[in-house]
Every structure is written in structure tokens, then in C-alpha cells.
Amino acid sequence: MAADIFRITLAQLDPTAGDIAGNAAKARDARAKAAADGADLVVLPELFMAGGGPDDLTPEVQSACRAAVEALAGETADGGPAVLIGTPWAEGGKLYNACALLDAGRIAATRFKTNLPRAGAFARGPAAGPVSVRCVRIGVAIGEDIRVEEADDDNVVETLAETGAELIVVPAAAPYIRGSSDRRLSAAVARVTESDLPLLWLNQTGGHGDQVFDGASFALNADLSISAQLPGFVADITTLAWRRGDDGWECRGPVSAPVDGDEADYAACVLGLRDRVAKSGFTGVLLGLSGDVASALTLAMAVDALGPGKVRAVVLSGPDTAQASRDEATALAARLGVASEMVPIAAAVAGFEQLLPGPLAGGARHELLARVRATLLIALASTSGALAVATRSRAEQWGGREGEADAIAPLEDVTAAQVIRLALLRNRWKPADALGPAGEVIPPGLITRPPGDGQSPVDRAGRASSGAREG
């Protein structure tokens, strides 16, 4: 007999690429929370078990994922909630981007992604009908399966509706791009309008390489009302109670305020940096600090991501560094509770100059100074097990390449104008999970100061902290 209430737990979580055991443990914890909430089904994101995309799926990872899924399936014999989990799945000599339904101690069903965003390791999945959980027919559309944009895209949701689905569930791993929330919602609204079925879209959160996943999962009732909205850029486990009425299933869950625009960009930088450190085993971060707004903003992001105790700032001071810049850099670190130190670079610069046939001047000298600072920054970070962090924005370029793959630049894709906006924003707001202090952490005079005013040439054109670029 079909139930009139169906509880679904959304596990908006942050997996780690290659950490199959850790990802499985997170799935178990989510299922335990779902069981405590009386849920019938817990949903985890696309490719959750692997924690990464097709480039990470070695044969060993594929085998480990399958074994972990089979072990989780066995645990569902306890009568608790079923599990829908994203995983790579090899079948018939092909590798699929799959979701496995685990219930009653077995793998009850698998569904394969159809609309693939690019050619790659995965095979295109065949059309399939809904899966049954507690007599409720759940249509599974994975990630881009809810988009119908290209000529060869299948309308997966339409197929699911025609084959008896009552509710569409979309496990996804969609990276954050400014404005992406509007595109996701538009695709979901289009599918709900066509199918007249409610839709639940679950996204992973966390950083993976140079991508950040923002979560921000949501649910739509068949009347297009937003029935639930999970917070962005944080892990969250929420159980939604769906009720069957005359017009089908609907729910009324929590609706968090969306994080978008500059706030979303700032939160993405913080989350990406936090996970880069945590998932790569670094002890913290080291950044070259100078007395300008990009440097101050990067420092604030690092403290928000990791806390002041895991952030170390160095002022790579040379003969071209104005005393005002030294003082401002030291004051910035103190304002955020970060330990800082002065590291003279004159001896290193002199060593390079002794190898050259003649003296350098102008831009060539500035480039040499930037390269020296980059090399020292990477070396200092390496000796302490820290991640080197560059403070360069999109408008600032470093001419050197040495060591560029060993650093991360949180402002890599941020324009000069947005640096100012983000600095002003941080002084009045911070992400909910930020570890830095509230309030005015960046001196207003530093934000409004015209470029070059009171700064040395190295601060304008080749700062120490701009000396490393993420590859």
C-alpha cells in the first residue's frame, strides 16, 4: 500500500577524491541521521563514492567504489532508509556515471546518466523508468539529465514521467559558476512545467582541485513553488517530508536565503582554499604580504578559511619596498591575528645579479624581483609543509613560471574592480562558517586609495605575493 507521507533526506556533503573509505563513512553517517529522522530514502550526490570526476577514476578506484557500494547495500538489511548514491559503475564492458539504489540488503537498482557534458570516460546510459522505494516511484535524473540544450540531449524527465514517475530526484555535482543558480533553477522549472511532477535537486559541496561545488540544493513542487532551499557552500543534511495530495506529492521544507553575486564569489574562494589545504594534507598556508588591497583581501580569505593559527604571512622586503608598505603589511596581519615576519631579499637579488652580464633596470628589474620573491615564497612554504598562496588578481600578471603549479591564487579569476567590491563586502559581512573576525578587517583607506598612491613599484607591478600562479 502506497504511503501518504514519504521522507527524503538530502545529504549535501563534501566528498574527497579517492578517499573511498572516508566517503563511505560520510554516507553511513548521513544514513544514520536519516534513520533518526524517520526517513524512507537518503540521497547522496552524483559520483559521491568516488569523490571526483572521470579523470580520477582509475581501475583501482572503480573497484574500490563498487566494493564500498556493495558493503553499504548489505547494511540496508537493517530495515532503515534506502540509499541512492552516485558512483562509477562498470557494466557490459562500459563505464557509467551511475546512481545505485541500496535497499533491503541489496543493490535494488542502478540508473545511468544519459546526457553527458563532454566526451570522456563514461558511456551514455540508456533510457530507463523510475525506481520503487516504499511503493513510491522515484524518477532518477543525474546532473545534466535535467537539461535539454543540445540536439542530441534526451528529455530524461519526460521519459520518466511517461513511465510512471511520481517524483523526480536529481543527484548532481555541479561546480559553482557565477550565475549558475539561475541556470539550474531555469532547467528545473522547465522540466517541472513539462512533466507536472515535483523535482528535488541535490548538489554536492566543497572544493576539488580548481573547482568549487556550492551545494544550494533545492526542491520544487509541481506548482513551481520552491518547497525547500538548502544553504550554499556548506555541508548540510536535511530531511523533507513529502505528502501525497489530490495533485500528487508536495512538501514544505526550510528555505535558506540564497548566497549569490559577490557574496557567493567570496564564499567560493574561502571554501576552495579550505578544502585545498584539508584534502591535500597541508599544515596551513603561507602568503607573501604587501600593503595593498588584494593582499589584504587574500589574507582575510585565508583566515576565514582556516583560522589565524594556520595562516603565516611574510613580508619579502627588498630595497624597492617602501617603509609604508612594510608597516601596512605588518598591521594587516596583526588586525587579523596572524603571525608575520620580515624576510629581506637583498642577498638573494644580489646573487642573481652577480650572474648577469650587466645591471637591470625598469621592467626587467621588477620582473627579477618578482621571480626572486616567488622562489622564496615557494621554498618557505615547502619547508613548513604549508601551501603557498598568491594574492594576484586577474588584472595582475607575474612574468615568471618557476614554481607556479605549487601555489594557489584565490583571486585568480577576480577583476581589479571586484577586488574593491569584495574588500568592502568583507568589512560588513562574512560567510556563516568563516573563522575570521567580524567587522572592519581591511582598512577603508587601503580600499579607497588610488593604485600606486603610497606604494612602491613592486607593490604596483610585481609584488612578492603575486609571484606564484596556480597551474
Side-chain angles (χ1 to χ4, degrees):
M1 180 178 177
D4 291 328
I5 297 180
F6 188 76
R7 292 181 173 85
I8 302 177
T9 297
L10 301 181
Q12 177 180 291
L13 298 177
D14 178 2
T16 298
D19 184 10
I20 314 305
N23 297 338
K26 289 182 178 181
R28 289 187 176 93
D29 290 344
R31 185 171 183 265
K33 173 66 164 59
D37 291 345
D40 300 288
L41 174 67
V42 55
V43 183
L44 293 116
E46 178 181 6
L47 292 175
F48 181 83
M49 189 59 79
D55 295 338
D56 302 304
L57 301 180
T58 64
E60 293 77 14
V61 169
Q62 296 174 37
S63 297
C65 287
R66 187 165 192 137
V69 168
E70 290 171 346
L72 282 174
E75 295 170 18
T76 62
D78 62 4
V83 176
L84 185 67
I85 187 167
T87 185
W89 196 259
E91 187 169 296
K94 297 179 179 179
L95 180 64
Y96 295 97
N97 180 336
C99 278
L101 176 66
L102 317 179
D103 197 16
R106 63 192 179 92
I107 299 173
T110 54
R111 290 295 182 266
F112 304 142
K113 187 171 183 175
T114 297
N115 294 331
L116 302 173
R118 61 183 174 88
F122 294 121
R124 184 181 175 92
V131 299
S132 180
V133 182
R134 312 295 187 266
C135 298
V136 178
R137 297 185 300 279
I138 304 294
V140 180
I142 304 173
E144 285 85 356
D145 279 348
I146 66 166
R147 295 185 179 177
V148 183
E149 298 175 344
E150 305 294 338
D152 60 346
D153 283 347
D154 290 345
N155 194 323
V156 175
V157 172
E158 182 178 66
T159 298
L160 291 168
E162 291 172 349
T163 51
E166 301 172 66
L167 173 67
I168 305 299
V169 173
V170 187
Y176 170 73
I177 301 172
R178 190 179 178 106
S180 55
S181 58
D182 291 338
R183 292 189 289 274
R184 297 168 189 168
L185 185 59
S186 294
V189 165
R191 303 292 83 78
V192 171
T193 300
E194 294 167 354
S195 66
D196 200 30
L197 293 176
L199 182 148
L200 187 156
W201 191 85
L202 171 72
N203 193 27
Q204 81 172 54
T205 189
H208 172 59
D210 59 356
Q211 292 183 316
V212 175
F213 300 87
D214 55 319
S217 307
F218 62 86
L220 295 176
N221 288 321
D223 63 3
L224 300 181
S225 61
I226 296 178
S227 56
Q229 174 73 65
L230 271 58
F233 302 99
V234 295
D236 186 276
I237 300 176
T238 294
T239 299
L240 303 177
W242 292 81
R243 290 174 171 79
R244 190 198 304 270
D246 294 338
D247 297 324
W249 293 95
E250 68 172 11
C251 86
R252 290 286 181 264
V255 178
S256 300
V259 180
D260 54 21
D262 286 340
E263 289 185 3
D265 287 351
Y266 189 97
C269 290
V270 169
L271 180 55
L273 181 56
R274 177 183 296 145
D275 267 9
R276 178 66 69 89
V277 170
K279 293 180 179 181
S280 300
F282 291 105
T283 58
V285 297
L286 173 73
L287 59 86
L289 196 60
S290 59
D292 72 347
V293 65
S295 180
L297 179 61
T298 305
L299 181 64
M301 287 178 170
V303 173
D304 284 344
L306 304 169
K310 291 188 176 182
V311 180
R312 177 186 170 201
V314 294
V315 181
L316 297 167
S317 177
D320 59 337
T321 306
Q323 184 60 48
S325 291
R326 297 187 185 97
D327 294 343
E328 287 172 334
T330 302
L332 281 172
R335 184 182 284 242
L336 282 158
V338 172
S340 66
E341 59 188 282
M342 199 76 60
V343 178
I345 69 168
V349 173
F352 276 98
E353 289 179 329
Q354 287 177 4
L355 301 175
L356 299 174
L360 294 176
R365 180 171 174 77
H366 295 156
E367 183 176 342
L368 173 62
L369 292 169
R371 288 174 183 268
V372 169
R373 288 182 165 99
T375 302
L376 289 173
L377 187 68
I378 297 298
L380 288 168
S382 298
T383 58
S384 62
L387 173 65
V389 174
T391 68
R392 181 196 65 263
S393 69
R394 186 191 300 172
E396 298 164 319
Q397 298 297 323
W398 173 59
R401 298 288 181 181
E402 184 73 26
E404 64 180 3
D406 298 319
I408 183 173
L411 302 182
E412 179 77 24
D413 297 319
V414 176
T415 65
Q418 195 183 13
V419 167
I420 300 300
R421 297 204 311 270
L422 291 177
L424 291 169
L425 169 69
R426 180 56 182 85
N427 277 352
R428 65 177 185 272
W429 167 92
K430 67 173 183 173
D433 61 342
L435 300 177
E440 196 173 88
V441 297
I442 301 175
L446 186 63
I447 300 172
T448 58
R449 185 172 64 193
D453 185 11
Q455 297 178 12
S456 69
V458 71
D459 293 322
R460 296 194 300 270
R463 301 188 322 272
S465 53
S466 299
R469 180 180 176 187
E470 181 186 11

